[in-house]
């Protein structure tokens, strides 16, 4: 259920963002938007990968701490 | 000279430069393909040979694509008439060329000897056939091609497919093939060790001599051939169509430009000199020098054809008055101007980063390295 | 005269070779930037696993790239071989972006792709990363110039007809480059490539996770693909709307076909969600409508309308009548350049020259065109409605499916437990063909919807083809079909084989965090 709500929320956000972009105008400076957008997509994807490593390390630390506790 | 005529002449020159670049750079890769089965006897020898040009063939191939693109943009009537008129030959060229990227990329992906042997043949075909067609196309320019235009410039080609493969065209095709093989052989001399080196050296020496002979025969042949002369019609630099031209045909007319400007004899001399000195350089094991002399030879040989034909680009044998020239087949002043601007910016850049790529990958390719590198061909 | 079946076969051959080429291009466009993102992490974090990731995906990238380059050569030839009248008539404009593409983009991409594959040991990390970025930039710039050329065919701006040289000529390169259709189309197409690559990477990674192989590589790739994909998909949908809006204004017949609008309606117009259009009866069967929606979608207001097919055919007939004197004047000008009367007549009717050409198909001497000829030519101005209508809907639905998938994938991968969601992983594998289908249907909407023109309103398709014999066309079609069939079999085989073998595990660095791998292995067993 939690996942479903999250899914619905994210889909809603996506649609609102798309709608906003649409109402901002059809004739935008799209070439410029491409440059910015591509840079952003590449950097966010890269950051996502690094975040995964950070999450792993955190999980490992937690597991190690729990093991010491026992 | 008027600005438009100047731009047209510059683009005629630039198209020539692109074709020379094509001969040198694409010729080198296709030459490697054409002699691959001779210089490489074992699978590893062939892999070494392929990996010498492996990092560069893709970039080199763009000379070909740019040649086509520049013809399209600067001389659209040439691109349209020649590509559609030479339909079957163009398809043979295309089909043999499109198996080449796959040959490089896919050949060593499978261990099976049958698979690799099949791709080696594919690489041979895709080296030999395109260079043959490339040269044969020049041969047909000298003899004229049967085509004409309707009132709205719809073109009609009235010849047969086999007529394009006539003896003179095949002679020019062979000249192109041996010069490509020469470029490929000198490249392999630079990038490989024995036993590939020695075989490549043999090829370079033999092809240099063969090219000299073929080039000389071609010269005598053209001397007796019917040539075309522009006798009227709108002046250079005036917007016009091929429907308004006036052309005479006479034996020996292809030498008119040389007779009018004797300094132009230096161009064919450059071709002969490049090949003969290239032979000596290859014999003396100066492989880099031999490669550069091959490039000089391409400049001389293609330059000779260009000078002889000027201002014709594609003469019509059935309707000589409708022959395509630098003046009646080019793009508008504005297009030629913009294109020149882009060429002035980007051609130096291309030369700069291409040289850098060759510099990064310099040196001999070794078998143990090829075996260890999972990205190697 | 042109043999109609030669024109049809030329169209078929072009469509097949372009659609085939377009199977490989989007993956190149997107994968190159994904490789850049992966390598960025390697350079920034220094973790060896990311080098392995970048190298593994670049192997698949190169298999795909080879076929993209090979089939791209065909496209470069085909304008000249099969569309020679188009090439000479439009070459002054159309050739320019193609040549600039070679100079600016293709050289860049092709020179550096060699260094990308062979330069791992010869370049410093930062240098190699720069090379990868240049490959990505080059391949997308390549798409930019091709789409600028294509957009001229959709919305001819920056050109005029020159009655002296009997062809279209460039009037402004900036107008050509900054054509609104080109801007929206480039961004839409380029990031559709990002979506394709993201689905591909996510799907292959999901397969590894399902098989419990190369887990460290697959988890990271999946995470990056999900982020890459969700942003790109939102962008594709936004730009798709912009493109529909711009294209609808430039090409009302395409818009009418996309929406199946036969009869003009009052605002607010309903949207045909499902319909079975009949070209013969000019009517839709089995319609399911959403009230008000079409006005909102295509005009972004409730009181907007767009012209329907009945009205468009009437306008076309008028323009054809007006174009006939332009064609006959041009015929005079061809024989007598500078003839003052003919020039005046031509200039008075110049804007409908293309419509005059349309009726020439039925009346070679346009001055003798009958009412029946004009009616037939005006019917021709409407593209085949059903395929455009359905391709459009397929593309949109698939786009929305991909958005939903990426949102789900993102939720689970951010919680860092995607490897336990086997149902999601199975969906991810099944999604692999979806973007490819969406790309192809997008091409169909754009190019089928443009018919009967090669350049909208200027040059009809029937005139554009080369004057070949039927035999030549059959020969070349058979050649292409057999060659391309062999290619795709080999390509798919090598792709699947490379995926099955996976990254080279012998050289693989050990995962950066051992306990995590142990935890995962435990999960898979449990």
């Amino acid at each position: 259920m939690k996942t479903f709500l999250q899914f619905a929320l994210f889909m809603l956000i996506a649609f609102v963002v798309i709608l906003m972009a649409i109402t901002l105008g059809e004739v935008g400076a799209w070439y410029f938007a491409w440059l910015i957008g591509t840079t952003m997509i590449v950097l966010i994807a890269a950051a996502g990968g690094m975040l995964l490593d950070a999450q792993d390390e955190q999980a490992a630390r937690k597991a190690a701490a729990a093991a010491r506790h026992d | 000279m008027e600005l438009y005529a100047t731009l047209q002449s510059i683009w005629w020159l630039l198209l020539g430069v692109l074709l020379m670049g094509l001969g040198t750079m694409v010729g080198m890769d296709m030459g490697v393909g054409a002699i691959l089965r001779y210089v490489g006897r074992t699978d590893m020898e062939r892999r070494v040979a392929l990996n010498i040009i492996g990092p560069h063939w893709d970039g080199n191939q763009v000379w070909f694509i740019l040649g086509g693109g520049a013809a399209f943009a600067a001389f659209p009537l040439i691109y349209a008439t020649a590509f559609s008129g030479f339909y079957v030959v163009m398809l043979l060229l295309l089909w043999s060329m499109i198996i080449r990227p796959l040959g490089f990329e896919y050949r060593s992906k499978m261990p099976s000897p049958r698979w690799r042997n099949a791709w080696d043949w594919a690489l041979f075909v895709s080296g030999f056939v395109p260079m043959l067609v490339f040269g044969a196309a020049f041969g047909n320019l000298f003899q004229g091609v049967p085509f004409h235009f309707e009132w709205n410039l719809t073109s009609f080609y009235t010849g047969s497919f086999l007529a394009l493969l006539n003896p003179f065209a095949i002679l020019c095709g062979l000249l192109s093939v041996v010069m490509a093989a020469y470029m490929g052989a000198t490249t392999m001399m630079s990038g490989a060790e024995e036993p590939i080196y020695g075989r490549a050296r043999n090829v370079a020496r033999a092809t240099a001599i063969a090219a000299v002979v073929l080039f000389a025969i071609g010269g005598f042949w053209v001397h007796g051939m019917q040539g075309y002369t522009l006798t009227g019609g709108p002046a250079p630099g005036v917007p016009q169509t091929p429907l308004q031209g006036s052309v005479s045909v006479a034996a020996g007319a292809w030498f008119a430009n040389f007779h009018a400007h004797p300094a132009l004899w230096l161009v064919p001399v450059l071709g002969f000199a490049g090949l003969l000195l290239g032979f000596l350089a290859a014999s003396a094991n100066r492989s880099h020098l031999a490669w550069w002399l091959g490039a000089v030879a391409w400049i001389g040989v293609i330059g000779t054809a260009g000078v002889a034909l000027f201002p014709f680009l594609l003469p019509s044998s059935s309707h000589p008055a409708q022959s395509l020239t630098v003046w009646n087949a080019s793009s508008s002043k504005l297009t030629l101007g913009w294109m020149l601007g882009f060429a002035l910016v980007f051609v130096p850049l291309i030369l700069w980063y291409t040289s850098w790529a060759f510099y990064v990958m310099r040196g001999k390719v070794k078998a143990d390295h090829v075996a260890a590198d999972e990205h190697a061909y | 005269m042109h043999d109609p079946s030669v024109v049809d076969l030329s169209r078929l051959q072009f469509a097949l070779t372009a659609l085939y080429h377009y199977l490989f291009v989007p993956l190149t466009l997107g994968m190159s930037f994904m490789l850049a993102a992966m390598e960025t992490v390697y350079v920034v974090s220094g973790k060896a696993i990311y080098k392995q990731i970048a190298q593994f995906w670049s192997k698949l990238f190169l298999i795909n790239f080879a076929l993209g380059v090979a089939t791209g050569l065909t496209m470069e030839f085909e304008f000249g071989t099969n569309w020679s009248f188009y090439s000479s008539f439009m070459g002054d404009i159309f050739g320019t972006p193609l040549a600039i593409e070679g100079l600016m983009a293709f050289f860049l991409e092709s020179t550096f792709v060699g260094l990308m594959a062979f330069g791992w040991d010869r370049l410093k990390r930062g240098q190699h990363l720069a090379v990868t970025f240049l490959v990505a930039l080059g391949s997308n710039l390549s798409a930019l110039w091709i789409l600028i050329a294509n957009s001229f065919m959709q919305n001819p701006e920056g050109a005029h007809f020159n009655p002296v040289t009997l062809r279209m000529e460039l009037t402004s390169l900036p107008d050509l480059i900054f054509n609104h259709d080109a801007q929206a189309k480039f961004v839409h197409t380029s990031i559709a490539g990002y979506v394709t690559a993201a689905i591909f990477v996510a799907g292959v990674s999901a397969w590894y996770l399902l098989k419990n192989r190369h887990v460290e590589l697959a988890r990271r790739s999946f995470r990056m693909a999900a982020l890459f994909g969700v942003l790109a998909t939102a962008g594709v949908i936004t730009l798709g709307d912009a493109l529909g809006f711009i294209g609808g204004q430039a090409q009302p017949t395409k818009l009418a076909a996309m929406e199946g609008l036969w009869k003009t309606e009052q605002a607010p117009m309903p949207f045909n969600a499902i319909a079975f259009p009949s070209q013969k009866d000019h009517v839709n069967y089995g319609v399911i409508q959403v009230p008000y929606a079409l006005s909102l979608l295509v005009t972004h207001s409730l009181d907007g309308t767009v012209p329907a097919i009945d009205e468009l055919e009437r306008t076309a007939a008028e323009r054809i009548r007006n174009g006939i004197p332009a064609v006959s004047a041009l015929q005079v000008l061809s024989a007598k350049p500078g003839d003052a009367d003919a020039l005046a007549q031509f200039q008075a009717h110049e804007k409908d020259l293309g419509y005059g050409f349309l009726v020439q198909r039925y009346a070679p001497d346009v001055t003798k065109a009958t009412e029946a000829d004009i009616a037939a030519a005006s019917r021709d101005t409407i593209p085949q409605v059903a395929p455009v209508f359905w391709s459009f809907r397929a593309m949109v639905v698939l786009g929305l499916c991909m958005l939903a998938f990426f949102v789900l994938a993102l939720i689970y991968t951010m919680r860092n437990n995607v490897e336990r969601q086997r149902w999601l992983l199975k969906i991810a594998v099944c999604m692999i063909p979806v973007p490819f289908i969406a790309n192809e249907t997008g091409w169909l909407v754009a190019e089928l919807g443009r018919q009967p023109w090669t350049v909208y309103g200027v040059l009809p398709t029937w005139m554009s083809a080369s004057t070949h014999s039927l035999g030549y066309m059959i020969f070349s079609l058979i050649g292409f079909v057999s060659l391309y069939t062999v290619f795709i079999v080999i390509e798919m085989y090598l792709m699947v084989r490379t995926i099955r073998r996976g990254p080279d595990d012998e050289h693989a660095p050990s995962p950066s965090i051992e306990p995590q791998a142990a935890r995962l292995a435990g999960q898979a067993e449990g």
Side-chain angles (χ1 to χ4, degrees):
Chain A
M1 192 60 198
K2 185 177 149 228
T3 307
F4 177 75
L5 284 178
Q6 249 182 349
F7 174 71
L9 179 71
F10 283 144
M11 284 300 276
L12 193 72
I13 294 173
F15 279 116
V16 169
V17 170
I18 290 169
L19 265 180
M20 271 169 57
I22 286 170
T23 44
L24 276 176
E26 300 73 26
V27 182
W30 291 125
Y31 290 156
F32 183 66
W34 177 83
L35 268 178
I36 302 296
T38 299
T39 316
M40 189 187 76
I41 292 176
V42 169
L43 290 181
I44 291 181
M50 293 167 80
L51 180 66
L52 189 143
D53 286 306
Q55 285 172 324
D56 278 2
E57 273 167 43
Q58 204 180 9
R61 262 200 304 277
K62 253 189 208 158
R68 263 201 306 278
H69 241 62
D70 289 341
Chain B
M1 201 162 26
E2 207 201 318
L3 175 64
Y4 188 30
T6 312
L7 280 170
Q8 288 172 321
S9 313
I10 290 176
W11 269 102
W12 172 79
L13 251 164
L14 277 178
L15 190 63
V17 169
L18 286 173
L19 293 176
M20 293 163 188
L22 192 166
T24 308
M25 305 299 278
V26 182
M28 144 171 82
D29 299 340
M30 290 190 168
V32 169
I35 61 175
L36 179 67
R37 300 187 66 88
Y38 170 74
V39 292
R41 301 289 161 80
T42 66
D43 178 56
M44 187 43 84
E45 285 172 12
R46 287 180 187 172
R47 287 190 69 185
V48 168
L50 288 177
N51 278 285
I52 292 169
I53 51 165
H56 308 298
W57 69 266
D58 202 351
N60 292 343
Q61 179 174 261
V62 184
W63 286 97
F64 190 97
I65 292 163
L66 194 56
F72 196 171
F75 299 101
L77 263 174
I78 296 292
Y79 171 80
T81 312
F83 275 50
S84 64
F86 298 167
Y87 193 63
V88 177
V89 185
M90 280 292 166
L91 286 175
L92 290 183
L93 172 65
L94 172 67
W95 289 340
S96 55
M97 258 190 90
I98 60 181
I99 51 180
R100 213 164 64 100
L102 308 188
F104 281 112
E105 193 60 51
Y106 295 171
R107 178 193 181 277
S108 304
K109 288 265 185 295
M110 298 277 290
S112 143
R114 267 182 63 197
W115 166 274
R116 292 187 172 184
N117 193 39
W119 282 116
D120 290 343
W121 278 114
L123 283 166
F124 168 76
V125 168
S126 66
F128 185 86
V129 175
M131 288 320 284
L132 187 76
V133 172
F134 180 62
F138 272 97
N140 280 299
L141 298 189
F142 278 95
Q143 301 171 92
V145 179
F147 70 88
H148 64 271
F149 294 102
E150 228 178 28
W151 71 272
N152 64 2
L153 296 183
T154 304
S155 73
F156 292 87
Y157 173 75
T158 48
S160 74
F161 149 60
L162 284 173
L164 294 170
L165 298 178
N166 52 65
F168 181 71
I170 289 177
L171 175 90
C172 295
L174 288 178
L175 174 59
S176 158
V177 168
V178 294
M179 286 180 69
Y182 174 84
M183 296 309 291
T186 51
T187 309
M188 278 203 249
M189 285 170 70
S190 297
E193 298 168 327
E194 290 292 351
I196 300 175
Y197 180 91
R199 293 184 200 129
R201 185 166 169 272
N202 292 342
V203 173
R205 284 156 50 95
T207 48
I209 295 305
V212 169
V213 173
L214 290 169
F215 189 39
I217 297 177
F220 284 113
W221 202 322
V222 170
H223 196 262
M225 197 181 272
Q226 300 281 318
Y228 293 63
T229 315
L230 210 53
T231 55
V238 176
Q240 55 191 289
T241 67
L243 302 175
Q244 296 140 13
S246 149
V247 169
S248 74
V249 183
W254 288 136
F255 276 66
N257 286 336
F258 292 103
H259 294 317
H261 309 279
L264 291 172
W265 286 109
L266 284 175
V267 183
V269 168
L270 202 64
F272 281 114
L275 292 167
L276 289 170
L277 293 174
F279 171 81
L280 295 178
S283 308
N285 296 315
R286 302 284 303 277
S287 62
H288 284 100
L289 180 65
W291 187 91
W292 282 105
L293 286 166
V296 169
W298 271 108
I299 294 171
V301 170
I302 291 185
T304 304
V307 167
L309 291 167
F310 188 87
F312 287 91
L313 290 170
L314 183 61
S316 167
S317 56
S318 62
H319 295 65
Q322 296 192 356
S323 294
L324 296 177
T325 67
V326 175
W327 319 121
N328 68 18
S330 87
S331 284
S332 65
K333 199 195 308 186
L334 186 69
T335 296
L336 293 181
W338 271 113
M339 292 279 302
L340 182 60
F342 275 92
L344 287 177
V345 173
F346 284 102
V347 170
L349 257 175
I350 291 166
L351 294 177
W352 174 66
Y353 62 62
T354 304
S355 325
W356 185 70
F358 275 92
Y359 171 75
V360 168
M361 301 307 300
R362 69 192 178 280
K364 302 263 181 194
V365 173
K366 301 214 168 51
D368 52 343
H369 191 256
V370 170
D373 184 358
E374 60 169 330
H375 277 283
Y377 290 143
Chain C
M1 274 313 281
H2 288 84
D3 179 346
S5 31
V6 168
V7 178
D8 286 345
L9 283 174
S10 299
R11 282 186 63 195
L12 179 65
Q13 182 172 314
F14 194 89
L16 287 179
T17 49
L19 284 168
Y20 188 88
H21 177 54
Y22 201 50
L23 284 173
F24 311 104
V25 172
L27 196 57
T28 301
L29 295 179
M31 192 81 128
S32 54
F33 270 116
M34 285 204 72
L35 291 175
M38 292 159 176
E39 210 179 321
T40 301
V41 184
Y42 168 58
V43 172
V44 171
S45 75
K47 290 201 168 74
I49 176 92
Y50 285 100
K51 184 179 184 184
Q52 192 199 12
I53 289 175
Q55 287 191 333
F56 170 66
W57 293 110
S58 83
K59 253 197 268 180
L60 297 179
F61 170 84
L62 288 168
I63 293 176
N64 173 71
F65 187 81
L67 210 41
V69 169
T71 54
L73 285 171
T74 303
M75 308 318 300
E76 166 111 12
F77 275 64
E78 227 167 359
F79 296 111
T81 53
N82 293 46
W83 302 95
S84 66
F85 187 73
Y86 170 84
S87 299
S88 60
F89 193 82
M90 294 294 171
D92 195 65
I93 306 132
F94 192 81
T96 308
L98 292 197
I100 298 176
E101 186 254 354
L103 279 168
M104 183 192 276
F106 204 54
F107 250 116
L108 188 72
E109 172 189 10
S110 304
T111 304
F112 286 113
V113 84
L115 286 186
M116 187 175 108
F118 286 84
W120 282 103
D121 303 331
R122 300 219 177 197
L123 294 166
K124 298 194 195 87
R125 277 185 199 175
Q127 280 179 326
H128 194 278
L129 177 64
V131 163
T132 306
F133 265 106
L134 286 174
V135 171
L137 186 69
S139 56
N140 279 272
L141 280 180
S142 186
L144 168 71
W145 289 102
I146 299 300
L147 291 170
I148 286 173
N150 177 273
S151 289
F152 176 77
M153 303 168 79
Q154 313 283 350
N155 181 19
E157 278 181 5
H160 77 136
F161 186 84
N162 183 345
V164 177
T165 50
L166 306 175
R167 65 177 179 200
M168 294 292 288
E169 290 185 356
L170 188 69
T171 54
S172 160
L173 188 67
D175 282 0
L176 184 72
I177 295 173
F178 293 99
N179 184 341
H180 291 305
D181 191 86
Q183 298 211 26
K185 174 162 281 170
F186 162 64
V187 183
H188 181 65
T189 311
S190 159
I191 51 184
Y194 301 179
V195 176
T196 309
I199 292 264
F200 179 78
V201 171
V204 174
S205 305
W207 187 77
Y208 284 143
L209 291 174
L210 283 170
K211 298 265 166 193
N212 199 27
R213 291 174 53 193
H214 317 297
V215 172
E216 293 304 316
L217 175 139
R219 290 168 63 225
R220 285 169 176 79
S221 303
F222 192 92
R223 160 77 64 90
M224 294 184 75
L227 277 165
F228 204 89
V230 78
L231 295 171
T233 314
V236 167
I237 295 171
T238 309
L239 265 299
D241 175 82
L243 187 57
F245 190 88
I246 294 165
Q249 285 181 331
Q251 302 181 51
T253 48
K254 182 191 278 180
L255 183 62
M258 275 158 71
E259 303 298 354
L261 297 175
W262 297 104
K263 303 269 180 297
T264 306
E265 295 189 46
Q266 301 291 319
M269 296 180 296
F271 171 71
N272 293 323
I274 293 179
F276 297 90
S278 155
Q279 198 86 11
K280 186 161 70 68
D281 307 340
H282 274 44
V283 74
N284 295 325
Y285 294 105
V287 184
I288 296 177
Q289 289 187 322
V290 184
Y292 303 143
L294 187 60
S295 284
L296 274 176
L297 280 172
V298 297
T299 67
H300 297 172
S301 75
L302 270 179
D303 50 5
T305 58
V306 288
I309 287 167
D310 54 355
E311 192 185 328
L312 291 169
E313 284 188 359
R314 277 196 298 277
T315 326
E318 278 165 38
R319 296 192 69 174
I320 290 166
R321 285 194 191 88
N322 193 40
I324 289 173
V327 175
S328 55
L330 199 61
Q331 225 151 341
V332 176
L333 284 171
S334 163
K336 282 188 285 181
D339 182 288
D341 290 346
L343 193 62
Q345 184 184 338
F346 175 77
Q347 278 162 351
H349 299 274
E350 183 180 355
K351 74 174 175 60
D352 290 326
L353 176 66
Y355 286 83
F357 287 147
L358 266 186
V359 78
Q360 222 184 3
R361 179 178 186 179
Y362 300 100
D365 178 359
V366 282
T367 54
K368 298 209 174 75
T370 63
E371 278 306 306
D373 293 335
I374 294 176
S378 61
R379 266 197 306 279
D380 282 352
T381 58
I382 308 303
Q384 287 296 314
V385 175
V388 177
F389 181 93
W390 280 109
S391 302
F392 176 61
R393 272 153 191 71
M395 173 180 72
V396 170
V397 168
L398 294 178
L400 294 174
C401 285
M402 288 188 277
L403 181 66
F405 164 75
F406 277 124
V407 168
L408 268 179
L410 189 64
I411 290 173
Y412 285 108
T413 179
M414 291 312 279
R415 289 184 191 163
N416 212 2
N417 65 1
V418 71
E419 51 274 22
R420 268 179 289 171
Q421 315 300 329
R422 296 187 67 84
W423 59 277
L424 180 67
L425 297 176
K426 281 177 189 154
I427 292 177
V429 175
C430 298
M431 289 294 282
I432 291 177
V434 170
F436 294 93
I437 300 170
N439 293 333
E440 302 284 290
T441 51
W443 187 90
L444 287 173
V445 174
E447 312 307 329
L448 282 181
R450 194 193 59 222
Q451 299 302 325
W453 306 99
T454 41
V455 175
Y456 193 81
V458 178
L459 182 65
T461 308
W462 76 268
M463 281 178 77
S464 307
S466 305
T467 52
H468 291 311
S469 66
L470 202 57
Y472 270 21
M473 292 311 302
I474 293 170
F475 163 75
S476 59
L477 191 63
I478 291 174
F480 276 114
V481 168
S482 19
L483 209 53
Y484 277 18
T485 309
V486 174
F487 285 0
I488 194 87
V489 171
I490 295 174
E491 202 256 3
M492 296 287 280
Y493 174 75
L494 283 177
M495 269 290 193
V496 171
R497 184 170 182 274
T498 313
I499 292 171
R500 274 183 192 284
R501 288 163 60 107
D504 203 348
D505 271 336
E506 284 166 48
H507 302 290
S510 55
S512 50
I513 297 156
E514 299 295 348
Q516 178 69 7
R519 182 172 72 88
L520 286 165
Q523 273 164 15
E525 278 155 29

